[in-house]
Amino acid sequence: MTATPEQKIPFEQWDAPSGEWTLPGACPVRTNRTLLLEAATRFLFPVVLVFSVYLLIVGHYAPGGGFQGGLTAGLAFVLRYIAGGGSEGVEIGSRLRLRPPVLMGTGLLLAMITAFAPVLVGRPVLSSAKVSFLGVEVVSSLLLDVGVYLLIIGVVLDLLRSLGSGIERDAEAGQGERP
Amino acid sequence: MSTLVTLPVLLPILGAALSVIFVRQATLQRLIGIVVLVAVCVVAAVLLVAADRTGPVVVELGGWPAPVGIVLVADRLSALLLLISTVVTLAVLVYAIDQRISDYGRDTASTTFHPIFLLLSTGVSLAYLTGDLFSLFVAFEIMLAASYVLITRRTNAERIRSGMTYVIISLTSSLLFLTTIALVYASTGTVNLADLAGRVAALPPGLRTLLSMLTIVTFGIKAAMVPLHFWLPDSYPNAPAPVTALFAGLLTKVGIYALLRTQTLIFPGDGPSAVLLVLAVLTMVVGALGALAQNDLNRLLSFLLVSHIGFMLFGLAVDDARGAAGTALYIVHHITVQATLFLVSGLITRRTGTVSIDQMGGLARRSPVLAVLFAVPALTLAGIPPTSGFVAKLALLQAGAAGTVGTVVVAGFVVLASLLTLWAVVRVWIRVFWGADKEPLPDDDPHDELVIGTSKTSAPMYVASAALVAVSIAIAAAAGPLSAVTERAGADLIARVPYLEAVLG
């Protein structure tokens, strides 16, 4: 946070956080909150996401790729769920406007389009080409990896929804004990 | 042309993606499934014509040449099986869609059913088309993962139990398959099927036999070959009718196809294989006797399925062009007729409210259409002339008669197993369709898809079943050209040269 002349932040508060330390939208009435975890998640979440994108892009030449990147990004959401989620799925549900199946479908669709696209220029299915993009050499199969990345994030979110908040909701409704 | 070969694999994935995205639009979802499968049918037909006229159609994925990259190959056998499988899948989808509409209403969309159904179709297509042992493993995994979902949807405790048997046995066979691939790769340094054909021949005989037996056990589990069949009559009958029809029609036959492909291409023998002949006899007899002891209609049909796997093993065991041709023809016939019987069994169950044969009766008078729909595929399965079953069995018997003393003896067992099949289906006919009219039983658990004891059955379910009956009649009517194609396919399989030349150049 850099101080602009308009804001006039006092010198002692130059490193004060601009937002809440806890997770936005986290259920305020929950009794078993772990503040330490919530605050740590606040820091870790963007870092893990950026690292997952790094894994996604670097995957063509070094260890990484869409699957690994997607799982890493998924873990970031798992962390948020553990810190702020609950039976209502407050944390994930309140922040996420996209439904996980749609994310999965979009990823799969992107991968399939990338698979078919070379046919349009007379190359075999699934072949890739190097493209110079803003001075950086990018392989066109990166798009396929992006599709896989989205697909895996969708799968993790769907698991969090069904096996995470879904089960907790069942347990609270007293349906947890089945024959 | 070569791009076409990828379509049967990629189009269903595309369809699955679209039907997940349009998860709220129930009608659109149904339409996507049907359009995709119709498109794959057309592509498969074109591939069959092309493969029959000009030899195998090969595509190198990503432009990587054969032994290094992955190839998809559509030769006569795979294109033919792809075509018939997709036709059956399409009919089953229409039946399933209509069952879902009449049970849950027109507006009920599903996040899982349609995408998973299409993914299963992808797995089946890939299994037929791939020219690479590891892709074959991937194909089986796609197929199995999809089938785990389909067999355990809308569950009750009993189905979870039988689903677990199915999942555990499938995982075991996948593990064996993976081990086999590792051994094959360690000993030859390649997983390309065409490349393996040459390299496995150079291995010591003991190692070759080991690898060959491992593939027989692996695919034998998937094909439900006796004594590896015990899981099938336990798990299949506990799924909803369309799912059982799809599994019974396709999954076991994909196992047989994989056996046929690997045994002829990688492990060509010199003459009839004694092991396979014994296994064929065991499978035929144990399956048929098991069927005679059943009172549950679906379990009875499952045992008959096991029994008829033996017929296909017999053609494979004869190990010449006629035997391979007979097996190919039998697979085509059996995919159609077995799926039809399970669909009709679903209709019967909806009519009577039970799967127990003892509690049914007098259906012929109450529902003559159902009686015809059952009678035709039942007689086809038993192999009464002039049905497609007769044509396929004739091809197998001719192959057996032209072979050694051993194959002639086993051909006798083919006739015996056919008679036992006839006995089993006639028993069903007498108890279910003749006799005193019994009142339909009420549905004791309306929430499962298994037994729906109402007479709520809409016309398209009959139409889909009737369409499959028509397909099996068409197979009998087109027996001449069809058996000519399968004979050429069988000759290709034994000669190996067209496949090897097409892939390796």
Side-chain angles (χ1 to χ4, degrees):
Chain A
M1 183 85 201
T2 51
T4 51
E6 288 82 25
Q7 284 177 316
K8 287 273 185 321
I9 291 174
F11 175 73
E12 315 85 69
Q13 292 174 20
W14 65 273
D15 56 349
S18 60
E20 298 170 47
W21 282 90
T22 53
L23 289 168
C27 181
V29 292
R30 279 176 63 208
T31 48
N32 53 350
R33 289 175 77 173
T34 322
L35 284 178
L36 190 61
L37 186 60
E38 271 188 40
T41 304
R42 196 76 212 259
F43 288 124
L44 284 176
F45 183 72
V47 179
V48 176
L49 277 193
V50 170
F51 180 63
S52 78
V53 174
Y54 164 76
L55 280 181
L56 165 69
I57 293 172
V58 86
H60 196 74
Y61 296 105
F67 184 74
Q68 290 84 339
L71 276 185
T72 312
L75 282 178
F77 286 102
V78 173
L79 192 62
R80 278 185 84 118
Y81 169 75
I82 291 172
S87 56
E88 297 93 27
V90 182
E91 170 56 13
I92 303 274
S94 65
R95 292 286 124 183
L96 209 71
R97 290 281 162 265
L98 204 60
R99 276 173 297 131
V102 176
L103 200 59
M104 282 151 71
T106 313
L108 210 50
L109 189 65
L110 185 63
M112 283 304 110
I113 290 173
T114 321
F116 278 122
V119 177
L120 298 180
V121 291
R123 303 262 301 131
V125 173
L126 279 168
S127 55
S128 66
K130 277 185 184 169
V131 188
S132 201
F133 178 69
L134 298 176
V136 184
E137 256 193 8
V138 182
V139 189
S140 65
S141 62
L142 180 67
L143 276 178
L144 193 123
D145 263 349
V146 172
V148 176
Y149 180 82
L150 293 179
L151 174 67
I152 299 296
I153 294 181
V155 169
V156 174
L157 288 178
D158 211 22
L159 284 178
L160 284 180
R161 196 181 58 168
S162 54
L163 295 183
S165 21
I167 285 182
E168 284 189 56
R169 209 179 306 124
D170 274 5
E172 280 182 13
Q175 293 169 352
E177 300 150 37
R178 286 187 176 160
Chain B
M1 177 55 79
S2 67
T3 306
L4 274 187
V5 187
T6 60
L7 290 184
V9 180
L10 296 184
L11 273 185
I13 304 185
L14 194 68
L18 289 175
S19 67
V20 172
I21 291 176
F22 297 111
V23 69
R24 295 282 165 90
Q25 283 89 343
T27 312
L28 186 59
Q29 227 183 13
R30 296 179 189 124
L31 205 63
I32 289 169
I34 291 175
V35 167
V36 162
L37 287 179
V38 168
V40 174
C41 278
V42 173
V43 170
V46 172
L47 283 177
L48 177 59
V49 172
D52 196 33
R53 288 205 181 140
T54 57
V57 187
V58 181
V59 64
E60 291 163 343
L61 291 181
W64 297 94
V68 181
I70 295 171
V71 286
L72 297 184
V73 190
D75 65 351
R76 288 188 177 108
L77 178 66
S78 44
L80 180 63
L81 296 186
L82 183 66
L83 177 61
I84 194 72
S85 298
T86 318
V87 169
V88 169
T89 313
L90 181 62
V92 172
L93 180 65
V94 171
Y95 182 102
I97 285 174
D98 207 64
Q99 179 177 339
R100 294 168 61 78
I101 289 178
S102 36
D103 289 349
Y104 311 122
R106 191 164 288 278
D107 298 326
T108 312
S110 166
T111 37
T112 48
F113 181 79
H114 286 276
I116 294 292
F117 194 92
L118 289 174
L119 280 183
L120 186 86
S121 164
T122 295
V124 172
S125 303
L126 183 59
Y128 286 140
L129 291 176
T130 185
D132 182 280
L133 202 56
F134 195 79
S135 301
L136 188 61
F137 173 74
V138 174
F140 272 116
E141 283 305 297
I142 296 176
M143 219 162 67
L144 291 176
S147 70
Y148 300 155
V149 179
L150 287 179
I151 211 168
T152 50
R153 283 182 78 249
R154 299 204 181 243
T155 42
N156 56 24
E158 166 59 18
R159 278 172 61 188
I160 292 266
R161 189 203 57 76
S162 62
M164 267 172 73
T165 316
Y166 177 73
V167 170
I168 290 171
I169 202 74
S170 302
L171 284 178
T172 312
S173 94
S174 296
L175 210 62
L176 260 179
F177 193 6
L178 205 57
T179 314
T180 313
I181 293 174
L183 288 174
V184 165
Y185 188 72
S187 52
T188 59
T190 180
V191 284
N192 182 289
L193 291 180
D195 203 17
L196 276 175
R199 297 209 193 178
V200 167
L203 293 178
L207 185 55
R208 211 164 56 217
T209 312
L210 172 78
L211 294 178
S212 165
M213 287 299 137
L214 269 174
T215 55
I216 289 179
V217 172
T218 307
F219 298 134
I221 294 176
K222 295 188 198 295
M225 171 180 81
V226 173
L228 307 166
H229 71 291
F230 51 88
W231 56 273
L232 191 145
D234 190 38
S235 57
Y236 278 16
N238 282 315
V243 172
T244 313
L246 192 65
F247 288 8
L250 300 186
L251 299 195
T252 45
K253 254 63 79 181
V254 173
I256 288 285
Y257 165 80
L259 258 183
L260 186 59
R261 179 66 77 194
T262 49
Q263 292 300 310
T264 52
L265 188 64
I266 307 179
F267 308 107
D270 36 5
S273 153
V275 179
L276 279 177
L277 279 178
V278 172
L279 288 174
V281 170
L282 276 178
T283 309
M284 283 189 277
V285 175
V286 170
L289 291 179
L292 285 175
Q294 299 305 316
N295 182 41
D296 178 329
L297 181 57
N298 285 330
R299 279 180 71 85
L300 185 143
L301 289 176
S302 302
F303 271 104
L304 284 182
L305 165 63
V306 171
S307 165
H308 286 245
I309 292 297
F311 290 59
M312 294 168 238
L313 282 178
F314 167 59
L316 178 60
V318 173
D319 198 33
D320 63 3
R322 285 171 173 223
T327 301
L329 193 56
Y330 207 89
I331 297 177
V332 171
H333 139 72
H334 196 252
I335 286 178
T336 325
V337 73
Q338 194 72 48
T340 319
L341 277 172
F342 273 109
L343 289 186
V344 174
S345 151
L347 292 177
I348 293 177
T349 308
R350 290 173 81 88
R351 204 69 203 240
T352 59
T354 176
V355 288
S356 162
I357 294 173
D358 282 344
Q359 292 172 311
M360 305 177 185
L363 262 186
R365 226 165 325 168
R366 197 139 42 91
S367 177
V369 179
L370 203 52
V372 174
L373 284 183
F374 179 80
V376 176
L379 293 180
T380 307
L381 190 69
I384 304 295
T387 59
S388 64
F390 172 71
V391 177
K393 278 185 185 119
L394 187 66
L396 283 179
L397 290 176
Q398 281 173 335
T404 60
V405 181
T407 63
V408 174
V409 171
V410 181
F413 279 99
V414 169
V415 178
L416 176 69
S418 303
L419 286 175
L420 290 176
T421 305
L422 186 62
W423 184 4
V425 294
V426 165
R427 201 171 134 261
V428 173
W429 175 263
I430 290 173
R431 297 217 190 151
V432 174
F433 290 93
W434 284 351
D437 202 342
K438 286 181 186 159
E439 278 300 303
L441 296 179
D443 191 355
D444 51 350
D445 184 0
H447 297 294
D448 66 357
E449 279 184 353
L450 196 53
V451 178
I452 297 172
T454 62
S455 48
K456 252 192 335 185
T457 310
S458 50
M461 288 170 74
Y462 280 96
V463 172
S465 315
L468 277 187
V469 172
V471 168
S472 83
I473 293 174
I475 291 174
L482 190 65
S483 58
V485 171
T486 53
E487 269 162 29
R488 288 195 288 273
D492 281 357
L493 281 177
I494 298 301
R496 303 199 292 161
V497 180
Y499 190 95
L500 297 181
E501 273 182 356
V503 175
L504 297 174

mmCIF file of all heavy atoms in Angstrom, chain B residues 440-457:
data_model
loop_
_atom_site.group_PDB
_atom_site.id
_atom_site.type_symbol
_atom_site.label_atom_id
_atom_site.label_comp_id
_atom_site.label_asym_id
_atom_site.label_seq_id
_atom_site.Cartn_x
_atom_site.Cartn_y
_atom_site.Cartn_z
ATOM 1 N N PRO B 440 -50.011 -56.728 -11.323
ATOM 2 C CA PRO B 440 -48.702 -56.100 -11.118
ATOM 3 C C PRO B 440 -48.475 -55.802 -9.639
ATOM 4 O O PRO B 440 -49.412 -55.453 -8.926
ATOM 5 C CB PRO B 440 -48.803 -54.798 -11.910
ATOM 6 C CG PRO B 440 -49.934 -54.983 -12.836
ATOM 7 C CD PRO B 440 -50.861 -55.963 -12.210
ATOM 8 N N LEU B 441 -47.242 -55.998 -9.188
ATOM 9 C CA LEU B 441 -46.922 -55.724 -7.794
ATOM 10 C C LEU B 441 -46.700 -54.230 -7.599
ATOM 11 O O LEU B 441 -46.229 -53.548 -8.507
ATOM 12 C CB LEU B 441 -45.659 -56.481 -7.389
ATOM 13 C CG LEU B 441 -45.758 -58.001 -7.420
ATOM 14 C CD1 LEU B 441 -44.432 -58.609 -7.025
ATOM 15 C CD2 LEU B 441 -46.848 -58.478 -6.487
ATOM 16 N N PRO B 442 -47.028 -53.708 -6.412
ATOM 17 C CA PRO B 442 -46.763 -52.284 -6.165
ATOM 18 C C PRO B 442 -45.267 -52.044 -5.979
ATOM 19 O O PRO B 442 -44.516 -52.964 -5.647
ATOM 20 C CB PRO B 442 -47.527 -52.019 -4.874
ATOM 21 C CG PRO B 442 -47.606 -53.340 -4.202
ATOM 22 C CD PRO B 442 -47.656 -54.374 -5.282
ATOM 23 N N ASP B 443 -44.852 -50.807 -6.226
ATOM 24 C CA ASP B 443 -43.435 -50.453 -6.079
ATOM 25 C C ASP B 443 -43.146 -50.215 -4.605
ATOM 26 O O ASP B 443 -43.695 -49.290 -3.999
ATOM 27 C CB ASP B 443 -43.170 -49.181 -6.891
ATOM 28 C CG ASP B 443 -41.694 -48.896 -7.002
ATOM 29 O OD1 ASP B 443 -40.907 -49.632 -6.379
ATOM 30 O OD2 ASP B 443 -41.333 -47.952 -7.719
ATOM 31 N N ASP B 444 -42.310 -51.072 -3.996
ATOM 32 C CA ASP B 444 -42.083 -50.906 -2.554
ATOM 33 C C ASP B 444 -41.084 -49.808 -2.242
ATOM 34 O O ASP B 444 -41.067 -49.279 -1.146
ATOM 35 C CB ASP B 444 -41.669 -52.237 -1.905
ATOM 36 C CG ASP B 444 -40.525 -52.890 -2.647
ATOM 37 O OD1 ASP B 444 -40.215 -52.394 -3.751
ATOM 38 O OD2 ASP B 444 -39.950 -53.869 -2.144
ATOM 39 N N ASP B 445 -40.230 -49.444 -3.188
ATOM 40 C CA ASP B 445 -39.296 -48.344 -2.941
ATOM 41 C C ASP B 445 -39.315 -47.414 -4.145
ATOM 42 O O ASP B 445 -38.588 -47.606 -5.104
ATOM 43 C CB ASP B 445 -37.890 -48.902 -2.694
ATOM 44 C CG ASP B 445 -36.907 -47.809 -2.335
ATOM 45 O OD1 ASP B 445 -37.329 -46.640 -2.277
ATOM 46 O OD2 ASP B 445 -35.734 -48.124 -2.120
ATOM 47 N N PRO B 446 -40.167 -46.383 -4.119
ATOM 48 C CA PRO B 446 -40.314 -45.539 -5.314
ATOM 49 C C PRO B 446 -39.092 -44.680 -5.620
ATOM 50 O O PRO B 446 -39.009 -44.088 -6.679
ATOM 51 C CB PRO B 446 -41.522 -44.667 -4.985
ATOM 52 C CG PRO B 446 -41.808 -44.849 -3.557
ATOM 53 C CD PRO B 446 -41.024 -45.980 -3.019
ATOM 54 N N HIS B 447 -38.116 -44.644 -4.688
ATOM 55 C CA HIS B 447 -36.996 -43.744 -4.914
ATOM 56 C C HIS B 447 -35.846 -44.369 -5.686
ATOM 57 O O HIS B 447 -34.944 -43.676 -6.104
ATOM 58 C CB HIS B 447 -36.476 -43.209 -3.578
ATOM 59 C CG HIS B 447 -37.503 -42.386 -2.867
ATOM 60 N ND1 HIS B 447 -37.947 -41.176 -3.361
ATOM 61 C CD2 HIS B 447 -38.221 -42.619 -1.750
ATOM 62 C CE1 HIS B 447 -38.870 -40.696 -2.549
ATOM 63 N NE2 HIS B 447 -39.062 -41.562 -1.569
ATOM 64 N N ASP B 448 -35.851 -45.697 -5.835
ATOM 65 C CA ASP B 448 -34.761 -46.277 -6.623
ATOM 66 C C ASP B 448 -35.218 -46.475 -8.067
ATOM 67 O O ASP B 448 -36.403 -46.504 -8.373
ATOM 68 C CB ASP B 448 -34.239 -47.576 -5.997
ATOM 69 C CG ASP B 448 -35.284 -48.684 -6.020
ATOM 70 O OD1 ASP B 448 -36.405 -48.411 -6.472
ATOM 71 O OD2 ASP B 448 -34.970 -49.796 -5.586
ATOM 72 N N GLU B 449 -34.236 -46.573 -8.947
ATOM 73 C CA GLU B 449 -34.571 -46.715 -10.361
ATOM 74 C C GLU B 449 -34.727 -48.176 -10.733
ATOM 75 O O GLU B 449 -34.967 -48.521 -11.877
ATOM 76 C CB GLU B 449 -33.440 -46.129 -11.213
ATOM 77 C CG GLU B 449 -33.491 -44.636 -11.338
ATOM 78 C CD GLU B 449 -32.412 -44.126 -12.260
ATOM 79 O OE1 GLU B 449 -31.566 -44.924 -12.687
ATOM 80 O OE2 GLU B 449 -32.422 -42.927 -12.555
ATOM 81 N N LEU B 450 -34.520 -49.060 -9.755
ATOM 82 C CA LEU B 450 -34.344 -50.457 -10.084
ATOM 83 C C LEU B 450 -35.638 -51.114 -10.510
ATOM 84 O O LEU B 450 -35.791 -51.587 -11.625
ATOM 85 C CB LEU B 450 -33.747 -51.157 -8.862
ATOM 86 C CG LEU B 450 -33.159 -52.502 -9.127
ATOM 87 C CD1 LEU B 450 -32.170 -52.411 -10.252
ATOM 88 C CD2 LEU B 450 -32.476 -53.001 -7.873
ATOM 89 N N VAL B 451 -36.581 -51.151 -9.612
ATOM 90 C CA VAL B 451 -37.861 -51.773 -9.913
ATOM 91 C C VAL B 451 -38.916 -50.689 -9.829
ATOM 92 O O VAL B 451 -39.131 -50.108 -8.779
ATOM 93 C CB VAL B 451 -38.181 -52.876 -8.891
ATOM 94 C CG1 VAL B 451 -39.527 -53.472 -9.198
ATOM 95 C CG2 VAL B 451 -37.113 -53.923 -8.899
ATOM 96 N N ILE B 452 -39.522 -50.378 -10.950
ATOM 97 C CA ILE B 452 -40.548 -49.355 -10.939
ATOM 98 C C ILE B 452 -41.843 -50.027 -11.352
ATOM 99 O O ILE B 452 -42.080 -50.294 -12.516
ATOM 100 C CB ILE B 452 -40.178 -48.190 -11.850
ATOM 101 C CG1 ILE B 452 -38.900 -47.564 -11.294
ATOM 102 C CG2 ILE B 452 -41.286 -47.170 -11.886
ATOM 103 C CD1 ILE B 452 -38.307 -46.540 -12.167
ATOM 104 N N GLY B 453 -42.623 -50.368 -10.373
ATOM 105 C CA GLY B 453 -43.767 -51.215 -10.631
ATOM 106 C C GLY B 453 -45.018 -50.442 -10.954
ATOM 107 O O GLY B 453 -46.038 -50.577 -10.311
ATOM 108 N N THR B 454 -44.936 -49.591 -11.943
ATOM 109 C CA THR B 454 -46.144 -48.944 -12.412
ATOM 110 C C THR B 454 -46.240 -49.254 -13.880
ATOM 111 O O THR B 454 -45.284 -49.714 -14.474
ATOM 112 C CB THR B 454 -46.056 -47.423 -12.233
ATOM 113 O OG1 THR B 454 -44.966 -46.972 -13.023
ATOM 114 C CG2 THR B 454 -45.846 -47.039 -10.799
ATOM 115 N N SER B 455 -47.377 -48.990 -14.449
ATOM 116 C CA SER B 455 -47.472 -49.239 -15.880
ATOM 117 C C SER B 455 -47.134 -47.966 -16.654
ATOM 118 O O SER B 455 -47.465 -47.824 -17.807
ATOM 119 C CB SER B 455 -48.860 -49.740 -16.237
ATOM 120 O OG SER B 455 -49.816 -48.913 -15.629
ATOM 121 N N LYS B 456 -46.454 -47.033 -15.972
ATOM 122 C CA LYS B 456 -46.035 -45.795 -16.616
ATOM 123 C C LYS B 456 -44.907 -46.087 -17.609
ATOM 124 O O LYS B 456 -43.747 -46.071 -17.260
ATOM 125 C CB LYS B 456 -45.481 -44.855 -15.554
ATOM 126 C CG LYS B 456 -46.367 -43.677 -15.225
ATOM 127 C CD LYS B 456 -45.662 -42.628 -14.399
ATOM 128 C CE LYS B 456 -44.504 -43.105 -13.580
ATOM 129 N NZ LYS B 456 -43.935 -42.074 -12.713
ATOM 130 N N THR B 457 -45.241 -46.399 -18.815
ATOM 131 C CA THR B 457 -44.190 -46.645 -19.794
ATOM 132 C C THR B 457 -44.595 -45.925 -21.062
ATOM 133 O O THR B 457 -45.659 -46.177 -21.595
ATOM 134 C CB THR B 457 -44.047 -48.142 -20.091
ATOM 135 O OG1 THR B 457 -43.962 -48.826 -18.866
ATOM 136 C CG2 THR B 457 -42.820 -48.402 -20.908
#
